[in-house]
């Protein structure tokens, strides 16, 4: 493995050594491994066809390899959150089998994680799940850390702020934080009794407090927060803000943005392994101690690519019973689909996939319109028998459905804001319609093309007839001709609109962007429904067959398209080929 290395040899003390804690003179090497945003990709086999996938089992192969090479006592293993959501396995142990010990703490204990920061999707599971998991993690010796989740009743952290670990002959303090922007995504009942404070605002205070109390040799901060731009403008991405400003932190481990990235500086290093078991972030810290004080330190960082076929066979067999239980549950037949659904089609215009979500949502009284975005980047559900596993492809998150009030003018502004994240203004035939960028920079660690924005914020509206002009700037793109039934759409009329709880709480910033204070969203909520995946399942229990005619009814959903059509369709097809390759 090639390392990006930076050495700082200094003639001054880099670390204060307190009375009663004096390092022996010599050289010390600490290996740091980190993971984040695994999103419960725990098993290496898909549940339907048995195909291999990258997994925690494969990550453990590499983790064990490093431990074998460097010595178990010299390796620190930390996770930066989003563990309990994203795959069938987490869903099963979160909500189906609630009597057996939860699988996640057992996996963490098996892999001997030293510290685990909590993520926003861990909070999304709700109090019954994360409170139960936390009790089991405490017993396993490595609880969730989230020092910025503050109790409302006494002002103390709801979860521990830090943990002390001894590795490589060094005393190590690991401080953990959750994402500060949870209020903008999740309904308050999910995180009742607490609130989340900015990491950047508190990290120096917390670091200074822990250093004064514990006198560690090495300070680590694990935060479930994206890298961001380092300019203090993005609350959910505060890692570079902290990395640029905080003093006394040796390792900053982050996540949330799913972008693998490592960086080494004179006095510290940053690790972000990306997401979904694709990489293990890997680093080394070298310390030289003379006279009981650290006189020099250097860092090395790298990303270890994970290969699916390298799954740990012993770990696989250890948890085979749990895999088989999840597999049996998710292969239950739940209905029949008479139209294939490709989630990527949603980026190019109206699609059967988003139409299904709209149809389910707009059917929830008293909804008149529906707002929805694609939540699976590139999934496919084939025509034929539906199994429960397919519902995770159609809707991977535990979002509830809200019905809120919006005026006609707010809906128009909302559409302008949404498509502005999605498309460019085309001035010549060679312009990209979709906002895509090449993924050939250091931070992404991958080649190809990707959306510049986040596709789960590419909302369309059902229940209207409208067009999106790709040659016009924001504010002039959307032309709404009528409601789906042909009746007039009025700017000053109030409409009942089905949205996700994520969006209603401020997720993606679209409502706030058009001047709606999502802190006061309860004043607009007229109905609440269960999780949207459960609504799809309930619909299948009533009628197990889904036909194309049902999910493409223009009298219910209306129509929308990009115009002018010849230009838009050709350029979008070219952009889609860059993103996904040509359709086979």
């Amino acid at each position: 493995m090639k390392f990006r290395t930076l050495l700082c040899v200094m003639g001054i003390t880099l670390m204060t050594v307190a009375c009663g804690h004096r390092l022996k003179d010599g050289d010390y090497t600490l290996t740091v491994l980190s993971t984040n945003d695994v999103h419960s990709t725990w098993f290496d086999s898909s549940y339907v066809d048995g195909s291999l996938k990258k997994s925690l089992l494969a990550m453990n192969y590499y983790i064990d390899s490093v431990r074998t090479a460097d010595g178990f006592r010299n390796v620190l293993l930390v996770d930066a959150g989003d563990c309990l959501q994203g795959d069938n396995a987490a869903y099963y142990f979160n909500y189906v089998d609630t009597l057996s010990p939860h699988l996640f703490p057992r996996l963490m204990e098996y892999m001997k994680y030293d510290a685990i920061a909590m993520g926003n999707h861990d909070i999304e599971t709700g109090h019954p799940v994360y409170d139960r998991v936390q009790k089991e993690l405490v017993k396993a010796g490595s609880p969730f850390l989230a020092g910025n989740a503050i109790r409302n009743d006494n002002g103390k952290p709801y979860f521990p702020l830090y943990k002390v670990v001894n590795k490589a002959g060094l005393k190590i303090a690991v401080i953990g934080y959750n994402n500060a922007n949870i209020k903008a995504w999740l309904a308050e009942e999910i995180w009742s009794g607490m609130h989340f404070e900015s990491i950047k605002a508190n990290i120096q205070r917390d670091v200074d407090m822990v250093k004064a109390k514990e006198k560690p040799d090495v300070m680590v901060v694990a935060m479930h927060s994206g890298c961001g731009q380092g300019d203090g403008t993005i609350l959910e991405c505060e890692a570079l803000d902290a990395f640029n400003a905080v003093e006394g932190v040796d390792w900053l481990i982050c996540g949330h943005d799913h972008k693998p990235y490592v960086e080494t500086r004179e006095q510290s290093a940053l690790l972000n392994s990306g997401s979904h078991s694709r990489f293990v972030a890997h680093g080394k810290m070298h310390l030289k101690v003379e006279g009981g004080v650290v006189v020099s330190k250097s860092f090395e960082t790298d990303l270890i690519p994970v290969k699916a076929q390298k799954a740990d066979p012993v770990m696989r067999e250890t948890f085979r019973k749990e895999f088989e239980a999840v597999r049996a549950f998710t292969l239950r037949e739940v209905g029949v689909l008479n139209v294939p659904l490709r989630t990527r089609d949603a980026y190019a215009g109206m699609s059967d996939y988003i139409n299904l979500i709209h149809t389910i949502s707009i059917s929830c009284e008293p909804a008149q319109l529906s707002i929805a975005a694609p939540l699976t980047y590139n999934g496919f559900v084939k025509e034929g028998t539906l199994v429960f596993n397919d519902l995770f492809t159609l809707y991977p998150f535990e979002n509830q459905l809200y019905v809120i009030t919006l005026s006609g003018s707010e809906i128009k502004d909302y559409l302008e804001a949404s498509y502005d994240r999605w498309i460019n203004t085309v001035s010549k035939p060679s312009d990209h319609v979709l906002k895509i960028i090449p993924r050939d920079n250091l931070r992404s660690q991958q080649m190809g093309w990707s959306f510049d924005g986040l596709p789960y914020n590419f909302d369309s509206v059902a229940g209207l007839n409208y067009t999106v002009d790709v040659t016009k700037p924001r504010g002039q793109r959307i032309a709404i001709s009528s409601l789906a039934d042909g009746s007039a759409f009025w700017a000053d009329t109030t409409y009942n609109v089905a949205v996700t709880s994520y969006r209603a709480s401020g997720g993606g910033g679209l409502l706030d962007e058009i001047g709606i204070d999502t802190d006061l969203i309860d004043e607009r909520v007229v109905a609440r429904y269960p999780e949207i995946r459960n609504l799809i399942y309930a619909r299948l229990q009533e009628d197990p067959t889904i036909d194309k005619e049902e999910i493409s009814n223009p009298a219910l959903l209306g129509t929308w398209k990009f115009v002018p059509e010849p230009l838009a369709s050709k350029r979008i097809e070219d952009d889609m080929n860059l993103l996904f390759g040509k359709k086979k």
Side-chain angles (χ1 to χ4, degrees):
M1 290 173 288
K2 293 182 179 179
F3 287 96
R4 282 179 288 279
T5 307
L6 188 60
L7 177 64
C8 179
V9 179
M10 306 180 67
I12 61 173
T13 300
L14 297 178
M15 189 178 301
T16 301
V17 180
C19 295
H21 179 69
R22 182 182 176 91
L23 283 173
K24 295 181 180 179
D25 288 358
D27 297 325
Y28 295 78
T29 298
L30 171 69
T31 299
V32 179
L33 298 177
S34 74
T35 59
N36 56 270
D37 297 271
V38 173
H39 283 290
S40 74
T41 53
W42 300 335
F43 297 116
D44 66 321
S45 175
S46 69
Y47 305 105
V48 177
D49 60 7
S51 59
L52 287 177
K53 62 180 184 178
K54 296 180 181 182
S55 65
L56 205 63
L57 300 180
M59 294 176 87
N60 194 55
Y61 167 85
Y62 293 96
I63 291 167
D64 276 354
S65 297
V66 173
R67 282 171 167 163
T68 298
D70 294 356
F72 178 85
R73 294 182 179 180
N74 300 319
V75 178
L76 179 75
L77 177 60
V78 179
D79 186 87
D82 272 8
C83 312
L84 299 178
Q85 181 280 330
D87 183 85
N88 314 23
Y91 181 87
Y92 180 79
F93 285 98
N94 289 347
Y95 307 112
V96 180
D97 183 359
T98 58
L99 298 179
S100 301
H102 198 287
L103 179 56
F104 175 68
R106 287 183 283 152
L107 291 168
M108 297 298 96
E109 185 174 22
Y110 182 92
M111 296 177 69
K112 297 179 175 59
Y113 269 84
D114 296 298
I116 308 164
M118 198 177 196
N120 56 289
H121 283 294
D122 303 319
I123 290 289
E124 186 180 26
T125 62
H127 269 291
V129 175
Y130 61 74
D131 287 341
R132 165 185 158 222
V133 169
Q134 179 72 338
K135 290 179 181 178
E136 296 178 23
L137 285 172
V138 169
K139 291 180 181 178
S142 192
F144 276 134
L145 304 177
N148 62 327
I150 306 302
R151 294 177 63 102
N152 295 334
D153 56 359
N154 60 18
K156 297 179 180 180
Y158 190 91
F159 304 94
L161 168 65
Y162 72 96
K163 179 185 178 183
V164 174
V165 182
N166 292 297
K167 292 284 182 177
L170 301 165
K171 183 177 182 180
I172 304 165
V174 183
I175 295 176
Y177 297 107
N178 205 326
N179 200 282
N181 204 34
I182 285 176
K183 184 178 181 180
W185 309 314
L186 303 177
E188 187 172 355
E189 59 263 27
I190 293 175
W191 42 273
S192 61
M194 70 182 98
H195 63 279
F196 297 86
E197 296 183 347
S198 165
I199 299 171
K200 181 185 64 175
N202 296 320
I203 184 171
Q204 191 66 66
R205 176 203 66 190
D206 293 339
V207 168
D208 292 344
M209 181 273 291
V210 173
K211 291 187 75 170
K213 181 179 180 180
E214 300 292 347
K215 311 299 188 295
D217 305 311
V218 178
M219 177 64 71
V220 179
V221 171
M223 60 171 67
H224 188 76
S225 191
C227 286
Q229 302 300 317
D231 58 5
T233 61
I234 308 174
L235 183 61
E236 69 177 280
C237 297
E238 298 184 284
L240 284 180
D241 297 337
F243 196 45
N244 291 338
V246 70
E247 296 179 356
V249 173
D250 298 295
W251 291 95
L252 194 149
I253 297 168
C254 64
H256 181 67
D257 55 8
H258 295 192
K259 297 177 181 178
Y261 179 59
V262 296
E263 182 176 342
T264 304
R265 296 182 181 175
E266 288 185 354
Q267 305 257 342
S268 57
L270 181 148
L271 299 175
N272 180 341
S273 73
S275 70
H276 296 87
S277 301
R278 293 176 293 153
F279 296 93
V280 176
H282 177 214
K284 285 182 182 291
M285 181 181 187
H286 304 283
L287 301 176
K288 185 175 183 63
V289 178
E290 293 179 357
V293 297
V294 177
V295 295
S296 70
K297 61 181 175 180
S298 66
F299 298 88
E300 304 170 6
T301 58
D302 200 9
L303 289 162
I304 304 174
V306 173
K307 296 180 180 179
Q309 62 269 30
K310 291 289 189 178
D312 182 337
V314 177
M315 187 175 178
R316 183 195 295 120
E317 288 306 311
T318 301
F319 296 100
R320 179 168 294 281
K321 182 179 73 172
E322 289 78 4
F323 169 78
E324 294 297 342
V326 176
R327 184 174 183 273
F329 168 73
T330 57
L331 290 182
R332 291 187 309 156
E333 295 184 4
V334 296
V336 177
L337 181 67
N338 288 330
V339 54
L341 302 177
R342 293 178 177 83
T343 66
R344 74 185 194 182
D345 291 347
Y347 309 126
M350 287 192 76
S351 70
D352 292 324
Y353 160 58
I354 288 295
N355 284 347
L356 170 60
I357 307 301
H358 279 314
T359 299
I360 295 294
S361 301
I362 208 170
S363 300
C364 294
E365 296 182 350
Q368 299 165 282
L369 307 174
S370 167
I371 291 175
L375 297 187
T376 299
Y377 180 68
N378 187 20
F380 175 65
V381 179
K382 65 182 180 180
E383 187 175 1
T385 300
L386 277 174
V387 296
F388 202 90
N389 181 75
D390 295 322
L391 303 189
F392 290 96
T393 300
L394 296 175
Y395 213 92
F397 301 114
E398 273 67 63
N399 293 330
Q400 299 167 306
L401 185 75
Y402 285 14
V403 181
I404 66 172
T405 58
L406 293 174
S407 70
S409 61
E410 289 171 335
I411 293 166
K412 165 68 160 58
D413 290 345
Y414 188 96
L415 284 169
E416 293 282 1
S418 175
Y419 285 95
D420 192 54
R421 300 184 178 201
W422 186 347
I423 66 169
N424 295 301
T425 299
V426 175
S427 60
K428 55 184 183 296
S430 60
D431 288 343
H432 295 290
V433 171
L434 303 180
K435 283 188 173 179
I436 60 175
I437 55 174
R439 285 189 283 113
D440 58 357
N441 54 75
L442 173 65
R443 184 170 295 181
S444 72
Q445 300 291 322
Q446 295 173 297
M447 303 297 290
W449 289 76
S450 65
F451 283 108
D452 190 27
L454 300 170
Y456 55 75
N457 289 325
F458 297 172
D459 277 329
S460 61
V461 174
L464 295 179
N465 295 311
Y466 67 95
T467 59
V468 184
D469 193 330
V470 302
T471 68
K472 300 286 181 63
R474 175 175 174 171
Q476 302 174 32
R477 289 183 177 132
I478 309 300
I480 302 173
S481 57
S482 69
L483 295 172
D485 62 6
S487 60
F489 175 82
W490 301 105
D492 57 356
T493 296
T494 297
Y495 298 93
N496 294 324
V497 184
V499 299
T500 67
S501 54
Y502 170 80
R503 192 69 81 225
S505 300
L510 283 162
L511 287 173
D512 292 284
E513 189 175 319
I514 64 168
I516 294 174
D517 186 352
T518 50
D519 287 342
L520 304 175
I521 200 66
D522 284 348
E523 297 176 3
R524 291 174 177 259
V525 175
V526 295
R528 287 181 170 89
Y529 284 86
E531 286 81 0
I532 294 171
R533 187 193 307 112
N534 290 345
L535 293 175
I536 300 172
Y537 181 54
R539 156 63 182 78
L540 289 167
Q541 288 181 308
E542 293 178 2
D543 180 354
T545 302
I546 295 177
D547 295 313
K548 183 177 177 64
E549 293 74 19
E550 176 194 357
I551 63 173
S552 58
N553 178 8
L556 178 69
L557 302 181
T559 61
W560 75 267
K561 59 185 176 182
F562 290 113
V563 296
E565 289 187 80
L567 171 65
S569 60
K570 175 63 171 67
R571 294 304 299 132
I572 289 174
E573 180 183 2
D574 292 342
D575 291 343
M576 292 288 285
N577 288 340
L578 289 174
L579 288 166
F580 303 105
K582 292 185 178 181
K583 281 187 177 181
K584 297 179 180 179

